[in-house]
């Protein structure tokens, strides 16, 4: 596209935003906004200027986490991922910048199509000692025409109302989605967790969430595919399986991989033996290893109650069918 | 729409944790037929992507019962493996420890933190392997701290891989290497690594060189340590002494803006110097080397040279500092040393390299060396040597 065509398209998009109630900032408002003490978006729906807009304000008292709510619009026919970027800096009471590398300090915002604009909640963790915040919003590309509505003043988080799962899954609200993820764990429901994680990955694609999603999907696969019953042949030897053979299971490893290794090691030392499971915090994984290795096993009653303890996303109910088949 | 973020430019599973990499390593070795008890794991740090050295060195690992994997995120996560297995950490360019240091105090602190980690790894039963690529890093900014770092690592390393038989002696100027810990496995050639299907005539034509042009190549990252600046400034005198009109190709990624300004200023007055200041991709390397009569490594110092090994791979004679010659043992007349403290020796060496280029036996002997030192063979030697000592 030539520069002339680009300019024409840009103008057409700006006009479309104006027809839908978005206004360019006046020179006076823009000048006031440059002081970083005036929120220029308070006056209503605004077209985001080419240069970034910043606002310095006090943080809500004692807030550990803050929320900013903005809605963005694009004149294009499809929504734009990363239409604008919101970033924050925190300062102490006396203006010293507080950097905490572990805290996320910027978010890409979606710009919705004009007829489907929704408010987006963006959350930031507040570092210790912070009293002031500088919030900056800028277009991600200079050619983009983005309408904006909302405020750059942060709010404390008040409500802990979860709402429905379906609402959360349709939203872009990380806090809401994280709450549903935690609820999925409490309710021992990996299906909910996977749906929430899929949404979070779609929105932001963080490594930690992709890894957790992969781990949980792997657990589902293990419990779906593991042979539920082992033929109990007459065996003369007993193998006392007191602890995992290849090392203690770490929840940072997909269970299926660990089981592939452990079951091989088990098969090599307990060929044609009956395995006696006892005394381990890893009874659950050891039991699964027996099933993978197709070795008959016996299990103490006391172990039955802690089979799921080796992984936060494994639940007692996962073993119901296995225990029913292997009394 | 904003493109999706890619965490790591290498085509590997960047999200895989250290624990998972260890489990994958054992499973892969088992699939290769290695006994679970005999499966050796080697984590390496820092991983580099554009330099194929690590891929080359580890190319025969599986055959020898080793699985090698990069430490991507945090060196601190490398500790006792989650599965029972002999595990080592293989260190390469350790000056990376100084990344981000603003002062020598920062550098000393970062160095100490790194050595503390190495101590923890040793305490956890891990073997420490170190490949000494250089006496000091090319662009050493914190020289005292780097010497201290290397001395500490040399002290702690269980095995030290050297690629130049003179390494112990040469390093002795700065820090002590215990000879009983060292094992010598030479730098591999780049046989089969880069694209190699273009003939010399085509390559010269592509670069606008006439068949008569005597062409020299200076290849690799463009920084003060590579000697290109001094080489260009000496070019007129060299042409006069050798009575030949030279064409010089300088190709590589700039690594220092001020230095590049000097290069631009010098090259501007020399129409016979062509500057390709960019990363040269694996398919383009052949054009530069095939088009060249001789490759020049006008370095002040160096223990090993990937550029010299690349030159040999393409059958091109190479001029290197004297101390680098023993690292290319068996290569014959295709490697020509010069004394960096006597610049006239560089001119003599360039003259000899151009003579060697005209001898058809030179290319044969160089490519024979390259075949003998192909990555797979060198990798096999490396792991055999490591296994014997483990």
């Amino acid at each position: 596209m030539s520069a002339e065509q680009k300019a024409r398209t840009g103008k057409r998009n700006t006009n479309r935003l104006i027809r839908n109630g978005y206004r360019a900032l006046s020179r006076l408002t823009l000048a006031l906004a440059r002081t970083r003490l005036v929120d220029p978006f308070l006056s209503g729906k605004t077209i985001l200027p080419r240069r970034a807009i910043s606002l310095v304000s006090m943080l809500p008292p004692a807030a550990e986490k803050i929320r900013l709510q903005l809605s963005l619009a694009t004149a294009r026919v499809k929504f734009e991922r990363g239409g604008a970027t919101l970033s924050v800096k925190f300062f102490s009471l006396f203006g010293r910048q507080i950097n905490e590398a572990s805290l996320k300090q910027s978010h890409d915002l979606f710009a919705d199509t004009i007829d489907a604009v929704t408010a987006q909640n963006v959350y930031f963790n507040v570092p210790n000692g912070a009293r002031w915040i500088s919030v900056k919003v800028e277009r991600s590309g200079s050619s983009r025409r983005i309408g904006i509505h909302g405020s750059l003043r942060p709010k404390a988080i008040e409500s802990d109302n979860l709402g429905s799962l379906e609402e959360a899954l349709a939203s872009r609200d990380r806090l809401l989605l994280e709450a549903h993820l935690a609820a999925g764990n409490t309710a021992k429901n990996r299906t909910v967790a996977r749906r929430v994680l899929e949404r979070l990955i779609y929105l932001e694609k963080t490594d930690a969430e992709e890894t957790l999603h992969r781990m949980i999907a792997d657990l589902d696969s293990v419990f779906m595919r593991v042979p539920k019953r082992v033929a109990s042949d007459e065996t003369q030897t007993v193998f006392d399986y007191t602890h995992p053979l290849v090392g203690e299971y770490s929840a940072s490893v997909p269970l299926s991989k660990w089981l592939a290794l452990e079951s091989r090691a088990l098969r090599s030392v307990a060929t044609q033996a009956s395995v006696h499971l006892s005394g381990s915090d890893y009874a659950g994984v050891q039991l699964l290893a027996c099933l993978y290795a197709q070795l008959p096993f016996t299990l103490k009653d006391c172990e039955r109650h802690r089979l799921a303890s080796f992984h936060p996303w494994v639940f007692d109910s996962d073993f119901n069918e296995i225990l029913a088949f292997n009394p | 729409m904003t493109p999706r973020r890619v965490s790591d430019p290498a085509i590997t599973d960047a999200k895989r944790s250290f624990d998972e990499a260890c489990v994958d390593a054992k499973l892969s070795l088992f699939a290769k037929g290695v006994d679970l008890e005999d499966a050796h794991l080697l984590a390496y740090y820092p991983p580099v992507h554009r330099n194929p050295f690590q891929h080359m060195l580890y190319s025969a690992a599986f055959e020898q019962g080793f699985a090698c994997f990069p430490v991507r995120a945090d060196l601190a996560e490398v500790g006792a493996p989650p599965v029972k297995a002999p595990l080592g950490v293989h260190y390469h360019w350790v000056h990376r420890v100084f990344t981000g240091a603003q002062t020598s105090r920062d550098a000393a602190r970062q160095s100490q933190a790194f050595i503390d980690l190495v101590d923890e790894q040793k305490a956890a039963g891990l073997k420490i392997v170190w490949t000494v690529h250089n006496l000091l890093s090319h662009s050493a900014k914190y020289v005292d701290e780097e010497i201290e770092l290397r001395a500490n690592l040399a002290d702690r390393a269980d095995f030290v891989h050297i690629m130049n038989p003179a390494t112990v002696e040469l390093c002795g100027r700065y820090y002590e290497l215990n000879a009983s810990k060292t094992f010598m496995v030479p730098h591999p050639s780049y046989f089969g690594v880069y694209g190699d299907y273009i003939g010399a005539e085509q390559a010269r034509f592509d670069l606008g060189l006439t068949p008569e042009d005597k062409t020299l190549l200076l290849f690799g990252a463009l920084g003060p340590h590579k000697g290109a600046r001094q080489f260009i400034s000496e070019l007129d005198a060299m042409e006069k002494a050798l009575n030949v009109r030279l064409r010089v190709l300088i190709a590589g990624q700039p690594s220092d803006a001020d230095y590049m300004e000097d290069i631009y200023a010098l090259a501007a007055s020399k129409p016979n110097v062509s500057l390709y200041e960019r990363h040269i991709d694996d398919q383009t390397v052949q054009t530069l080397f095939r088009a060249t009569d001789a490759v020049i490594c006008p370095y002040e110092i160096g223990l090993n040279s990937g550029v010299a090994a690349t030159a040999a791979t393409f059958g091109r004679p190479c001029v290197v500092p004297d101390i680098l010659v023993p690292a290319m043992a068996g290569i014959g007349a295709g490697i020509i040393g010069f004394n960096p403290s006597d610049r006239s020796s560089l001119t003599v060496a360039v003259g000899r390299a151009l003579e060697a280029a005209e001898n058809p036996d030179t290319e044969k002997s160089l490519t024979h060396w390259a075949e003998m030192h192909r990555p797979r063979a060198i990798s096999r030697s490396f792991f055999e040597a490591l296994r014997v000592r483990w």
Side-chain angles (χ1 to χ4, degrees), chain A residues 209-249:
Chain A
E209 277 149 7
E210 279 192 305
T211 301
L212 181 58
H213 185 256
R214 192 163 60 92
M215 296 289 172
I216 292 178
D218 182 70
L219 291 174
D220 279 344
S221 167
V222 165
F223 285 105
M224 191 188 295
R225 289 163 198 267
V226 67
K228 301 294 185 300
R229 189 201 299 268
V230 178
S232 179
D233 297 337
E234 283 299 314
T235 49
Q236 292 177 345
T237 56
V238 170
F239 177 73
D240 208 10
Y241 190 18
T242 54
H243 56 272
L245 301 172
V246 296
E248 291 179 355
Y249 172 70

Side-chain angles (χ1 to χ4, degrees), chain A residues 81-82 144 201-202 204-207 210 214 245-248 250 252-254 257 260-261 264, chain B residues 1-2 4-5 7 13-17 19-20 22-24 26-27 30 36 82-85:
Chain A
R81 181 184 288 271
R144 284 174 167 165
I201 292 163
Y202 167 76
E204 288 186 46
K205 196 172 165 60
T206 65
D207 286 354
E210 279 192 305
R214 192 163 60 92
L245 301 172
V246 296
E248 291 179 355
S250 151
S252 64
V253 178
K257 290 183 177 181
L261 211 51
R264 283 184 176 116
Chain B
M1 192 176 275
T2 310
R4 285 213 155 188
R5 184 168 45 84
S7 311
D13 190 351
K15 294 175 201 79
R16 182 166 66 174
S17 67
D19 285 355
E20 188 178 350
C22 290
V23 171
D24 281 350
K26 283 207 77 155
L27 282 171
F30 184 80
L36 279 180
V83 287
K84 289 172 192 163

Side-chain angles (χ1 to χ4, degrees), chain B residues 98 150 173 210 232 344 354 380 389:
Chain B
F98 299 124
R150 285 167 174 263
R173 293 183 215 163
T210 68
I232 302 173
S344 66
L354 290 173
R380 209 171 290 129
R389 287 162 176 79

Side-chain angles (χ1 to χ4, degrees), chain A residues 93-127:
Chain A
L93 187 61
F94 301 107
R96 184 178 54 83
Q97 190 175 343
I98 300 173
N99 282 320
E100 258 186 50
S102 60
L103 298 183
K104 189 170 180 179
Q105 298 204 321
S106 79
H107 267 284
D108 288 338
L109 299 169
F110 285 81
D112 293 307
T113 53
I114 286 174
D115 53 353
V117 176
T118 53
Q120 291 169 65
N121 286 325
V122 177
Y123 301 93
F124 293 98
N125 290 315
V126 178

Side-chain angles (χ1 to χ4, degrees), chain B residues 31 74 85 112 168 172 179-180 185 230-231 290 302 348:
Chain B
D74 187 1
Q112 189 54 51
V168 174
S180 67
V185 176
Q230 196 170 357
F231 186 83
R290 285 282 173 221
V348 174

Side-chain angles (χ1 to χ4, degrees), chain B residues 5 52 58 60 62 70 89 122 173 218 253 257 273:
Chain B
R5 184 168 45 84
Y58 300 141
F62 270 85
V89 191
K122 278 187 79 83
R173 293 183 215 163
L218 280 70
Q253 181 83 32
V273 173

Side-chain angles (χ1 to χ4, degrees), chain A residues 70-109:
Chain A
L70 291 164
S71 54
L72 266 64
T74 174
R76 294 185 182 181
V77 290
K78 283 189 79 176
F79 73 85
E80 291 185 63
R81 181 184 288 271
T85 303
L86 191 68
S87 50
V88 292
K89 286 179 186 167
F90 294 97
F91 299 90
S92 71
L93 187 61
F94 301 107
R96 184 178 54 83
Q97 190 175 343
I98 300 173
N99 282 320
E100 258 186 50
S102 60
L103 298 183
K104 189 170 180 179
Q105 298 204 321
S106 79
H107 267 284
D108 288 338
L109 299 169

